[in-house]
Amino acid sequence: MSQQRFTHLDEQGHAHMVDVTEKQVTERVAIAESWVQLNQETFDLISSREIEKGDVLATARIAGIQAAKRCSDLIPLCHPLALTKVKVEFELHPDSHRIRVESLCKLAGRTGVEMEALTAASIAALTIYDMCKAVDKGIVIESTRLLEKSGGKSGHWLVAGTTP
């Protein structure tokens, strides 16, 4: 197995932002997810839009979109990107009291949008936590991961065990 050099480190091991000037502009898409585990009461309050702070999922959606747009402000070596699409959606799983957060980020550019998609899913999940912490201190955010990415030199990647 060949060892891949870390692209964000120079020859001396110092961190730097990768120069993407010469890379091809291609359509790039990334999809990420995060899961939020709640107690039954909190899940029911979210489902019925009865959380005192307001509509949890609407607020989490806006937070996720905003986070994707601000990713380079949060993660030091990320390039600021002109995103052309950010989508944050939720699946409610009543049997397990879980909410699946899925984010999609898209652009035509020289670098990928994986970090933006992961940031969107993470911040949407954190916003659910923030809006519900008064009624449920045991909320668990878990399994944040990249599901799919396309575009650029490395092409299409899909997490194992899923179908496009």
Side-chain angles (χ1 to χ4, degrees):
M1 184 168 153
S2 68
Q3 187 173 10
Q4 186 176 10
R5 186 174 86 79
F6 289 106
T7 58
H8 288 74
L9 299 177
D10 65 16
E11 294 75 25
Q12 292 80 38
H14 300 128
H16 70 97
M17 192 163 142
V18 174
D19 183 357
V20 297
T21 308
E22 301 303 318
K23 289 176 107 180
Q24 217 40 35
V25 172
T26 62
E27 179 181 288
R28 295 162 185 266
V29 179
I31 301 171
E33 74 176 357
S34 191
W35 287 84
V36 182
Q37 176 73 56
L38 307 141
N39 68 29
Q40 177 75 55
E41 175 192 7
T42 308
F43 184 88
D44 292 344
L45 289 170
I46 292 170
S47 299
S48 61
R49 293 187 169 106
E50 294 178 19
I51 292 286
E52 203 171 294
K53 285 188 175 183
D55 187 333
V56 172
L57 300 182
T59 305
R61 177 175 287 112
I62 296 298
I65 293 167
Q66 192 66 19
K69 293 166 36 176
R70 302 288 305 267
C71 186
S72 66
D73 293 335
L74 301 169
I75 300 175
L77 302 177
C78 279
H79 294 85
L81 301 178
L83 297 169
T84 57
K85 181 177 181 85
V86 179
K87 185 165 83 171
V88 177
E89 296 186 326
F90 305 96
E91 287 177 8
L92 276 63
H93 294 259
D95 293 342
S96 59
H97 321 126
R98 297 172 79 204
I99 299 173
R100 180 176 173 268
V101 180
E102 182 178 287
S103 64
L104 176 143
C105 292
K106 182 177 179 181
L107 62 64
R110 291 183 164 85
T111 190
V113 291
E114 297 92 335
M115 294 311 300
E116 288 72 13
L118 286 161
T119 299
S122 298
I123 296 301
L126 284 168
T127 301
I128 293 170
Y129 185 101
D130 181 54
M131 293 191 71
C132 300
K133 67 185 182 236
V135 293
D136 186 355
K137 304 279 190 258
I139 297 169
V140 176
I141 297 170
E142 58 190 1
S143 301
T144 300
R145 66 181 180 158
L146 183 68
L147 297 176
E148 185 173 2
K149 67 142 297 280
S150 63
K153 189 169 65 173
S154 64
H156 186 249
W157 178 88
L158 187 64
V159 70
T162 59
T163 56

